[in-house]
Amino acid sequence: MVRKQAPRLDMFSTYHLKPGQTLENTKVSERKLALIASESAFQRFVDYVSRPQRLAEEREAAAAKLEAIKKATYEMSKTWDNTIENIKSRRKEELLSKSRKAEEERIQFVKEMTVKNAAERAEIVRQARKLLLYKQPQCRRINRALLASECLRELDAQVEFEKTIKETDNQREMEYVDLMKKDVEKFEQEKKTKVEEQKMKLQDYSTKLCKQIEENAKTREGQEKAELELEIQDQKNMSRDLQLIKECEAEQTLKKKKELQKLFLDTIDEKKRTELEVKRHEKFEDLAVDVYNKSKSRVKKMLKDIAKQEKQIQEQRAQFIADRFVSLEDNRKSEEEKENFKKAVNEIEEAEMERQKARKDFEHAMRITRIKDRYEAEAMKTKQKQEEKDMKTWEMLQRFKKHEYDKQIELEDRIKEENKKRIYAQTLKKHMELQKAERKREKLLNDDAEEIKAAMKQVDERVLSYGQEVLEECKGVRPLYPILKAIEECKREIGMIKPKMTEVPSPPRKPRRRRGVRRGPCTKIIMEDKTHYL
């Protein structure tokens, strides 16, 4: 048998005891452990610890080797055209040149666009200034004058156009008259030719008619002969037919006469038979009426007898019942009186007992109601006292609340007054600031008066130049009077033309009344017969 060898351990741990220590006299927590490893195991530990450094050194060596290889390949292939580096560098240079060119083009485009935009902006500004100039009242006046001159030009053009239309109409009328004359002459000539042609046609037609008439006469004679023969034959046939018709009619009349005679005889027999039947029927009806009347009278008599008998029977029966009732009534009266007396006594006793019982019930109910009223009165008193107490407390609370509410209202009023004062102070400050700004603006306006005058002068010059431009444009095209008048008014407004001095007529003076010496009353005496009253 092969003996198993014990496994050899490269590394194990054991307790490290100091001198004087044993496993028995030392605790487990105080015992120190020692690691015992072989040389190969220790070397493995060292290799494991120094592995990152070793790997780093290997990587550096590999990188240096790769760098040397790259450098050698670059030195060898730097003159080649188809290498990746050269292709990349060439592409990069091309891209750079393209980007430089695009940038130069963009800069050039931007410069051109700036110049163009500046020109467009200048044109827009010029147009805007022109539009603003057109909004000036003087320019509007010039434009109105231009419009008036344009209207006058249009009117002149319309007048000229109407004249030309009239001339063309007259010319067309003359041409139309000439054409009508030519047409009339042509029509007359055509009419003559047509008349001649119709004459020729009539002559031909007359010759043809003569021939046709002769032919028709011949054919008519032959037809008449044939018709005469046919008529003769028809007359013969008609006479034969009439004879046959007459014979047939005679036979039919004989037959009808015989039939009528037979019918007449039959009707006479029928009439006689009906008369006999009517007479027999009348006799039978008379007999029936007599029998009915007799039976009716007999039935009436029988009914009267039966009614009398029934009446007698009823009277007898009523008499018998009356006699029987009288005998029974006498016996019944005595018994009924006794029973009625007993009933009356019993009823009186019952009524008395009920009256006493009702009085007792009433007294008991009254006693109960008095007790209830007493309790209710006490409850009402207590309730009233409680309500008075609650009312007093409520009034006290209301007084406290009113006092608090008054304080709050006073506080709110005070706050409102303060807010009003604050708002008034703010409005005053704003008003003062506005006044200061107004003063500053007036000061600036006074300072800028000369600049404003210069600007107004510039505007006036532009207006006059615009008027001159319009005038030059309208020369030889439109009437110039409205435009000249508008320019003159503009110059007068600007002050280039002095306005005409118009003498204001002085109002006529009223003639003064001459004041002389007041004369006294007339002292000359006039007789009464010579005085005249108005």
Side-chain angles (χ1 to χ4, degrees):
M1 290 178 68
V2 179
R3 189 178 178 183
K4 289 184 179 179
Q5 292 181 0
R8 188 178 178 185
L9 298 173
D10 292 337
M11 187 169 51
F12 60 93
S13 63
T14 185
Y15 291 112
H16 179 67
L17 299 174
K18 291 180 181 181
Q21 287 182 347
T22 60
L23 294 173
E24 287 81 6
N25 61 3
T26 55
K27 294 179 180 179
V28 176
S29 60
E30 292 177 356
R31 294 173 188 173
K32 293 182 180 180
L33 291 171
L35 182 66
I36 297 168
S38 62
E39 190 175 351
S40 61
F42 182 74
Q43 190 63 38
R44 282 200 301 273
F45 271 112
V46 172
D47 292 338
Y48 181 75
V49 170
S50 61
R51 186 182 177 187
Q53 187 177 0
R54 190 174 65 254
L55 291 172
E57 289 174 357
E58 289 176 358
R59 281 197 296 272
E60 286 177 359
K65 188 178 180 180
L66 185 64
E67 189 67 28
I69 291 165
K70 282 182 179 179
K71 192 173 182 181
T73 54
Y74 177 73
E75 290 293 334
M76 186 173 60
S77 63
K78 66 181 178 180
T79 57
W80 296 352
D81 293 333
N82 55 356
T83 58
I84 294 168
E85 293 292 332
N86 291 332
I87 290 166
K88 284 182 179 179
S89 62
R90 192 165 58 250
R91 285 181 181 175
K92 193 181 287 183
E93 287 176 0
E94 288 175 358
L95 289 170
L96 286 170
S97 63
K98 283 181 181 178
S99 63
R100 286 195 208 96
K101 192 175 181 181
E103 186 67 23
E104 289 174 359
E105 288 177 356
R106 190 181 67 78
I107 291 164
Q108 186 67 25
F109 178 73
V110 168
K111 287 179 181 179
E112 290 175 358
M113 288 302 293
T114 51
V115 172
K116 189 176 179 181
N117 289 330
E120 288 178 356
R121 199 177 294 110
E123 182 65 23
I124 290 164
V125 170
R126 190 179 66 77
Q127 292 289 336
R129 285 177 179 172
K130 197 172 182 181
L131 289 171
L132 290 171
L133 181 66
Y134 288 165
K135 288 182 180 179
Q136 295 290 330
Q138 293 90 354
C139 291
R140 286 205 297 270
R141 186 180 294 162
I142 292 165
N143 289 329
R144 285 197 296 272
L146 179 63
L147 182 63
S149 66
E150 181 65 24
C151 292
L152 292 171
R153 186 193 67 75
E154 186 66 27
L155 283 171
D156 294 337
Q158 287 178 2
V159 170
E160 291 293 330
F161 183 67
E162 287 178 357
K163 286 180 181 178
T164 53
I165 287 168
K166 284 181 181 179
E167 289 176 358
T168 53
D169 289 339
N170 293 326
Q171 190 176 358
R172 284 181 180 178
E173 284 179 359
M174 294 295 291
E175 290 175 357
Y176 181 71
V177 168
D178 294 334
L179 287 170
M180 287 294 291
K181 287 179 180 179
K182 289 178 182 179
D183 290 336
V184 168
E185 291 175 357
K186 191 176 179 180
F187 178 72
E188 288 178 354
Q189 191 174 0
E190 288 177 355
K191 194 173 181 181
K192 286 179 182 179
T193 54
K194 283 180 180 180
V195 168
E196 290 176 357
E197 288 176 357
Q198 284 180 358
K199 283 181 180 179
M200 294 294 290
K201 285 179 181 179
L202 285 170
Q203 287 177 2
D204 295 336
Y205 184 67
S206 61
T207 53
K208 287 179 181 180
L209 278 174
C210 291
K211 290 178 181 179
Q212 188 72 28
I213 288 164
E214 290 175 357
E215 290 176 357
N216 289 333
K218 289 177 181 179
T219 54
R220 196 180 295 113
E221 287 177 358
Q223 287 176 359
E224 285 177 356
K225 286 179 181 180
E227 285 176 358
L228 284 170
E229 290 176 358
L230 290 170
E231 285 178 358
I232 291 163
Q233 188 66 32
D234 290 335
Q235 284 178 0
K236 289 178 181 179
N237 293 328
M238 285 173 68
S239 62
R240 188 174 61 251
D241 292 334
L242 287 170
Q243 188 67 30
L244 290 169
I245 289 164
K246 284 179 181 179
E247 290 176 357
C248 291
E249 284 179 354
E251 289 177 358
Q252 286 178 0
T253 50
L254 287 170
K255 284 181 181 180
K256 284 181 180 179
K257 282 179 181 180
K258 287 177 181 179
E259 288 176 357
L260 288 170
Q261 285 176 1
K262 190 176 180 181
L263 285 169
F264 184 69
L265 293 170
D266 292 336
T267 52
I268 289 166
D269 295 335
E270 187 70 26
K271 190 176 181 182
K272 287 178 180 180
R273 194 165 50 252
T274 52
E275 285 177 356
L276 290 170
E277 286 179 358
V278 167
K279 285 179 181 180
R280 190 170 61 250
H281 187 66
E282 286 177 356
K283 285 180 182 180
F284 180 74
E285 284 180 353
D286 292 337
L287 289 170
V289 168
D290 293 335
V291 171
Y292 175 73
N293 289 326
K294 287 177 181 179
S295 62
K296 189 176 180 181
S297 61
R298 191 168 58 251
V299 167
K300 282 182 179 179
K301 285 179 181 180
M302 288 171 70
L303 288 171
K304 284 179 181 179
D305 294 337
I306 290 164
K308 283 180 181 180
Q309 288 176 5
E310 286 179 356
K311 193 174 182 182
Q312 287 175 2
I313 290 163
Q314 286 178 0
E315 286 176 356
Q316 290 174 3
R317 194 174 178 182
Q319 186 66 33
F320 177 75
I321 290 165
D323 295 338
R324 186 80 178 271
F325 182 74
V326 168
S327 63
L328 291 170
E329 190 72 23
D330 293 334
N331 295 325
R332 198 181 295 166
K333 277 182 181 179
S334 60
E335 292 176 359
E336 284 180 356
E337 284 177 359
K338 290 177 182 179
E339 288 177 359
N340 289 331
F341 181 73
K342 286 180 182 179
K343 284 180 181 179
V345 171
N346 291 326
E347 286 176 358
I348 290 164
E349 288 177 356
E350 288 175 359
E352 186 65 26
M353 289 173 72
E354 287 177 358
R355 198 180 296 112
Q356 289 177 3
K357 188 179 180 181
R359 188 172 63 250
K360 286 179 182 179
D361 293 336
F362 178 72
E363 288 176 356
H364 183 67
M366 289 299 290
R367 198 179 298 114
I368 290 166
T369 52
R370 281 198 296 273
I371 292 164
K372 284 182 180 179
D373 292 338
R374 195 182 301 120
Y375 286 142
E376 286 177 358
E378 289 176 358
M380 285 290 289
K381 284 180 182 178
T382 54
K383 188 178 179 182
Q384 192 173 2
K385 286 179 182 178
Q386 186 66 32
E387 286 178 354
E388 288 176 356
K389 189 177 180 181
D390 294 338
M391 192 71 184
K392 285 178 181 178
T393 54
W394 183 78
E395 286 177 354
M396 192 180 292
L397 286 170
Q398 289 296 319
R399 281 198 294 273
F400 282 124
K401 286 181 180 179
K402 188 175 182 301
H403 185 65
E404 290 176 358
Y405 181 73
D406 292 338
K407 283 183 178 179
Q408 189 177 358
I409 293 294
E410 286 177 0
L411 183 63
E412 288 177 357
D413 292 338
R414 201 178 299 118
I415 291 165
K416 284 180 182 178
E417 288 292 330
E418 289 176 358
N419 289 330
K420 283 182 181 179
K421 288 177 182 178
R422 196 180 297 110
I423 291 163
Y424 184 65
Q426 289 175 1
T427 52
L428 285 173
K429 284 181 182 178
K430 286 181 182 178
H431 186 64
M432 290 167 70
E433 289 175 358
L434 288 170
Q435 284 182 350
K436 285 180 182 178
E438 187 68 26
R439 289 195 200 96
K440 285 182 181 179
R441 193 174 66 79
E442 288 177 357
K443 192 175 181 181
L444 289 169
L445 287 172
N446 292 327
D447 293 339
D448 297 339
E450 293 180 358
E451 294 178 359
I452 291 165
K453 285 180 182 178
M456 289 174 68
K457 188 176 180 182
Q458 189 177 0
V459 170
D460 294 337
E461 288 176 356
R462 288 169 67 187
V463 168
L464 290 173
S465 65
Y466 175 68
Q468 195 66 31
E469 183 182 349
V470 171
L471 186 65
E472 292 293 331
E473 186 181 348
C474 293
K475 277 183 181 178
V477 180
R478 301 181 187 89
L480 302 175
Y481 174 71
I483 299 167
L484 290 170
K485 191 175 180 182
I487 292 167
E488 187 178 353
E489 288 177 358
C490 291
K491 286 180 179 179
R492 191 176 287 111
E493 284 183 2
I494 292 165
M496 294 177 71
I497 298 172
K498 291 182 179 180
K500 293 180 180 180
M501 298 295 291
T502 55
E503 293 181 359
V504 180
S506 59
R509 292 182 179 180
K510 292 182 180 180
R512 290 186 177 182
R513 186 178 177 183
R514 292 182 180 180
R515 294 183 179 181
V517 180
R518 182 178 288 179
R519 296 178 182 179
C522 184
T523 55
K524 192 175 180 180
I525 299 167
I526 299 168
M527 299 300 290
E528 190 176 355
D529 56 351
K530 292 182 179 180
T531 56
H532 298 282
Y533 298 98
L534 297 173

